[in-house]
Amino acid sequence: MALKGGIKMTFYIADLHLGHKNVLRFDNRPFSTIEENDEYIIAQWNEAVSDDDDVWILGDISWHSASKTAELLKRLKGRKHLCIGNHDHKLIKSADVRQQFVEIVDYKEISFGDGTGVVLCHYPIPCYNKHFYGWYHLYGHVHSTFEWRMMAEVQTKMREVHNAKIEMYNVGCMMTYMRYRPRTLEEILEANNRTHNS
Protein backbone atom coordinates (compact mmCIF):
# COMPACT_ATOMS: atom_id res chain seq x y z
CA MET A 1 0.00 0.00 0.00
CA ALA A 2 1.38 3.42 -0.80
CA LEU A 3 0.52 7.06 -1.18
CA LYS A 4 1.39 9.77 -3.69
CA GLY A 5 3.34 12.92 -2.97
CA GLY A 6 6.95 11.81 -2.90
CA ILE A 7 6.25 8.53 -1.15
CA LYS A 8 7.30 5.33 -2.88
CA MET A 9 4.36 3.45 -4.36
CA THR A 10 3.72 -0.16 -5.33
CA PHE A 11 2.01 -1.07 -8.58
CA TYR A 12 0.76 -4.33 -10.08
CA ILE A 13 0.14 -5.58 -13.61
CA ALA A 14 0.11 -8.91 -15.47
CA ASP A 15 0.10 -10.37 -18.96
CA LEU A 16 1.84 -7.60 -20.89
CA HIS A 17 2.55 -10.06 -23.73
CA LEU A 18 4.87 -7.57 -25.43
CA GLY A 19 5.62 -8.70 -28.98
CA HIS A 20 2.79 -11.27 -29.02
CA LYS A 21 0.79 -10.58 -32.19
CA ASN A 22 -1.91 -13.19 -31.51
CA VAL A 23 -2.81 -11.53 -28.20
CA LEU A 24 -4.22 -8.53 -30.07
CA ARG A 25 -7.06 -10.71 -31.33
CA PHE A 26 -7.22 -12.99 -28.27
CA ASP A 27 -7.75 -10.05 -25.88
CA ASN A 28 -9.49 -7.84 -28.45
CA ARG A 29 -6.80 -5.24 -27.72
CA PRO A 30 -7.48 -1.86 -29.39
CA PHE A 31 -4.20 -1.73 -31.33
CA SER A 32 -3.53 -2.13 -35.04
CA THR A 33 -0.05 -3.59 -34.57
CA ILE A 34 1.95 -5.26 -31.82
CA GLU A 35 4.37 -2.32 -31.96
CA GLU A 36 1.49 0.01 -31.12
CA ASN A 37 0.53 -2.32 -28.25
CA ASP A 38 4.08 -2.30 -26.87
CA GLU A 39 4.58 1.46 -27.16
CA TYR A 40 1.21 2.21 -25.56
CA ILE A 41 1.96 -0.06 -22.57
CA ILE A 42 5.40 1.55 -22.14
CA ALA A 43 3.90 5.07 -22.29
CA GLN A 44 1.14 4.21 -19.80
CA TRP A 45 3.65 2.57 -17.46
CA ASN A 46 6.04 5.52 -17.46
CA GLU A 47 3.22 8.00 -16.95
CA ALA A 48 2.11 6.18 -13.78
CA VAL A 49 5.39 4.95 -12.31
CA SER A 50 8.38 6.89 -10.97
CA ASP A 51 11.94 5.61 -10.74
CA ASP A 52 11.66 4.80 -7.01
CA ASP A 53 8.33 2.95 -7.22
CA ASP A 54 8.01 -0.83 -7.09
CA VAL A 55 6.13 -2.63 -9.86
CA TRP A 56 5.11 -6.28 -9.66
CA ILE A 57 4.65 -7.95 -13.04
CA LEU A 58 2.57 -11.06 -12.40
CA GLY A 59 3.83 -13.01 -15.35
CA ASP A 60 3.91 -13.24 -19.14
CA ILE A 61 6.14 -10.32 -20.00
CA SER A 62 7.06 -10.78 -23.62
CA TRP A 63 7.24 -12.92 -26.74
CA HIS A 64 10.20 -10.94 -28.05
CA SER A 65 13.73 -12.33 -27.94
CA ALA A 66 15.55 -12.03 -24.62
CA SER A 67 17.68 -9.14 -25.92
CA LYS A 68 14.64 -7.22 -27.24
CA THR A 69 12.75 -7.90 -24.00
CA ALA A 70 15.67 -6.61 -21.90
CA GLU A 71 15.79 -3.50 -24.10
CA LEU A 72 12.07 -2.82 -23.53
CA LEU A 73 12.31 -3.52 -19.78
CA LYS A 74 15.11 -0.95 -19.52
CA ARG A 75 12.67 1.66 -20.84
CA LEU A 76 10.21 1.00 -18.00
CA LYS A 77 10.55 3.13 -14.87
CA GLY A 78 10.64 1.75 -11.36
CA ARG A 79 12.03 -1.20 -9.46
CA LYS A 80 10.64 -4.22 -11.29
CA HIS A 81 9.71 -7.50 -9.60
CA LEU A 82 8.50 -10.62 -11.42
CA CYS A 83 6.20 -13.45 -10.45
CA ILE A 84 7.05 -15.95 -13.17
CA GLY A 85 4.35 -16.71 -15.73
CA ASN A 86 4.03 -19.75 -17.95
CA HIS A 87 5.58 -17.83 -20.88
CA ASP A 88 8.56 -16.43 -18.92
CA HIS A 89 10.76 -19.48 -18.29
CA LYS A 90 12.82 -19.18 -21.46
CA LEU A 91 13.27 -15.42 -21.05
CA ILE A 92 14.55 -15.56 -17.48
CA LYS A 93 17.39 -17.83 -18.53
CA SER A 94 18.92 -14.67 -19.98
CA ALA A 95 21.21 -12.74 -17.62
CA ASP A 96 20.22 -9.50 -19.41
CA VAL A 97 16.55 -10.10 -18.61
CA ARG A 98 17.21 -11.22 -15.02
CA GLN A 99 19.25 -8.08 -14.37
CA GLN A 100 16.17 -5.93 -15.02
CA PHE A 101 14.43 -7.28 -11.91
CA VAL A 102 14.95 -6.69 -8.20
CA GLU A 103 13.59 -10.18 -7.62
CA ILE A 104 12.13 -13.07 -9.57
CA VAL A 105 9.83 -15.51 -7.75
CA ASP A 106 7.04 -17.97 -8.46
CA TYR A 107 4.91 -16.71 -5.57
CA LYS A 108 5.06 -13.87 -3.05
CA GLU A 109 3.26 -12.85 0.15
CA ILE A 110 3.68 -9.22 1.25
CA SER A 111 2.41 -8.15 4.67
CA PHE A 112 1.21 -4.57 5.07
CA GLY A 113 1.98 -4.68 8.81
CA ASP A 114 -1.64 -4.18 9.87
CA GLY A 115 -2.74 -7.83 9.78
CA THR A 116 -3.50 -7.69 6.07
CA GLY A 117 -1.37 -8.19 3.01
CA VAL A 118 -1.32 -9.41 -0.55
CA VAL A 119 -0.66 -12.80 -2.15
CA LEU A 120 0.90 -12.49 -5.61
CA CYS A 121 1.02 -15.23 -8.24
CA HIS A 122 0.65 -15.48 -12.00
CA TYR A 123 -2.04 -18.10 -11.49
CA PRO A 124 -5.35 -17.56 -9.64
CA ILE A 125 -5.57 -19.35 -6.27
CA PRO A 126 -9.20 -19.46 -5.03
CA CYS A 127 -8.20 -20.66 -1.55
CA TYR A 128 -5.13 -18.42 -1.21
CA ASN A 129 -3.36 -18.13 2.13
CA LYS A 130 -5.16 -15.92 4.71
CA HIS A 131 -8.17 -15.49 2.43
CA PHE A 132 -10.44 -15.29 5.48
CA TYR A 133 -8.23 -12.75 7.24
CA GLY A 134 -8.42 -9.61 5.12
CA TRP A 135 -5.65 -10.46 2.68
CA TYR A 136 -5.89 -9.80 -1.05
CA HIS A 137 -4.87 -12.00 -3.97
CA LEU A 138 -3.70 -10.53 -7.27
CA TYR A 139 -3.16 -12.76 -10.30
CA GLY A 140 -3.07 -12.90 -14.09
CA HIS A 141 -2.92 -15.79 -16.59
CA VAL A 142 -6.65 -16.08 -17.35
CA HIS A 143 -6.97 -12.78 -19.29
CA SER A 144 -10.65 -11.88 -19.70
CA THR A 145 -11.69 -15.41 -20.71
CA PHE A 146 -14.27 -17.83 -19.30
CA GLU A 147 -11.58 -18.88 -16.81
CA TRP A 148 -11.59 -15.38 -15.34
CA ARG A 149 -15.40 -15.45 -15.16
CA MET A 150 -15.14 -18.86 -13.47
CA MET A 151 -12.74 -17.39 -10.85
CA ALA A 152 -15.19 -14.53 -10.26
CA GLU A 153 -17.98 -17.08 -9.72
CA VAL A 154 -15.82 -19.05 -7.28
CA GLN A 155 -15.10 -15.85 -5.37
CA THR A 156 -18.80 -14.98 -5.19
CA LYS A 157 -19.69 -18.50 -4.04
CA MET A 158 -17.04 -18.46 -1.31
CA ARG A 159 -18.35 -15.11 -0.08
CA GLU A 160 -21.90 -16.49 0.05
CA VAL A 161 -21.04 -19.79 1.73
CA HIS A 162 -18.45 -18.53 4.22
CA ASN A 163 -19.83 -15.01 4.70
CA ALA A 164 -16.27 -13.74 4.18
CA LYS A 165 -14.97 -10.97 1.95
CA ILE A 166 -12.72 -12.95 -0.37
CA GLU A 167 -10.63 -10.41 -2.31
CA MET A 168 -9.20 -11.83 -5.58
CA TYR A 169 -8.42 -9.55 -8.52
CA ASN A 170 -7.20 -10.24 -12.04
CA VAL A 171 -4.57 -7.59 -12.87
CA GLY A 172 -4.12 -8.57 -16.50
CA CYS A 173 -3.35 -5.39 -18.42
CA MET A 174 -6.33 -5.95 -20.72
CA MET A 175 -8.89 -5.76 -17.90
CA THR A 176 -11.13 -2.69 -18.14
CA TYR A 177 -9.97 -1.39 -14.74
CA MET A 178 -6.29 -1.84 -15.65
CA ARG A 179 -6.32 -0.21 -19.12
CA TYR A 180 -2.79 -1.37 -19.98
CA ARG A 181 -1.32 0.55 -17.03
CA PRO A 182 0.23 -0.60 -13.73
CA ARG A 183 -2.19 0.14 -10.89
CA THR A 184 -1.88 0.43 -7.13
CA LEU A 185 -3.95 -1.89 -4.96
CA GLU A 186 -6.06 1.11 -3.95
CA GLU A 187 -6.84 1.85 -7.61
CA ILE A 188 -7.74 -1.78 -8.28
CA LEU A 189 -10.06 -1.96 -5.27
CA GLU A 190 -11.67 1.37 -6.04
CA ALA A 191 -12.36 0.42 -9.67
CA ASN A 192 -13.85 -2.93 -8.67
CA ASN A 193 -15.97 -1.39 -5.92
CA ARG A 194 -17.36 1.11 -8.43
CA THR A 195 -18.22 -1.75 -10.79
CA HIS A 196 -19.98 -3.82 -8.13
CA ASN A 197 -21.85 -0.87 -6.63
CA SER A 198 -23.08 0.68 -9.88
Side-chain angles (χ1 to χ4, degrees):
M1 307 275 263
L3 303 169
K4 293 194 177 192
I7 298 174
K8 184 169 81 167
M9 300 176 69
T10 302
F11 295 86
Y12 308 92
I13 194 166
D15 298 304
L16 303 177
H17 284 263
L18 302 172
H20 186 186
K21 292 178 183 175
N22 288 342
V23 84
L24 299 179
R25 183 174 35 82
F26 182 76
D27 285 339
N28 195 27
R29 296 190 182 196
F31 308 110
S32 302
T33 66
I34 195 60
E35 292 79 17
E36 186 183 338
N37 172 85
D38 294 358
E39 290 302 320
Y40 186 81
I41 289 172
I42 291 167
Q44 289 296 303
W45 180 302
N46 288 335
E47 187 176 295
V49 177
S50 72
D51 289 333
D52 293 329
D53 293 334
D54 287 290
V55 185
W56 279 92
I57 304 175
L58 304 188
D60 289 3
I61 311 160
S62 170
W63 282 53
H64 288 299
S65 68
S67 60
K68 175 70 171 178
T69 298
E71 177 187 315
L72 293 177
L73 287 169
K74 286 176 187 175
R75 293 176 58 194
L76 299 175
K77 292 181 183 176
R79 294 163 31 90
K80 295 173 282 290
H81 308 253
L82 175 65
C83 275
I84 301 166
N86 52 302
H87 294 298
D88 297 325
H89 293 282
K90 184 176 178 184
L91 281 176
I92 61 173
K93 290 179 182 176
S94 161
D96 286 343
V97 170
R98 289 195 311 273
Q99 286 172 359
Q100 304 311 309
F101 293 98
V102 174
E103 63 184 307
I104 298 174
V105 297
D106 288 305
Y107 172 94
K108 183 79 172 186
E109 293 181 11
I110 301 172
S111 172
F112 298 146
D114 62 357
T116 67
V118 63
V119 172
L120 305 174
C121 187
H122 178 61
Y123 309 99
I125 308 169
C127 298
Y128 62 93
N129 191 26
K130 301 177 187 168
H131 62 295
F132 290 141
Y133 301 101
W135 279 56
Y136 305 90
H137 172 39
L138 304 181
Y139 63 90
H141 186 59
V142 294
H143 294 242
S144 55
T145 65
F146 79 94
E147 293 174 312
W148 167 62
R149 291 188 293 277
M150 185 172 62
M151 288 298 101
E153 289 172 13
V154 167
Q155 178 176 326
T156 299
K157 191 68 173 174
M158 289 182 72
R159 286 176 172 176
E160 290 170 356
V161 171
H162 296 292
N163 196 27
K165 195 173 181 186
I166 308 301
E167 301 275 5
M168 295 173 54
Y169 299 99
N170 179 351
V171 296
C173 69
M174 78 298 302
M175 302 304 292
T176 56
Y177 47 88
M178 297 298 294
R179 293 189 180 93
Y180 305 95
R181 182 183 184 109
R183 301 286 179 180
T184 64
L185 180 59
E186 291 88 345
E187 289 176 312
I188 295 162
L189 297 177
E190 183 182 341
N192 277 276
N193 286 337
R194 273 200 310 270
T195 300
H196 293 308
N197 293 328
S198 59

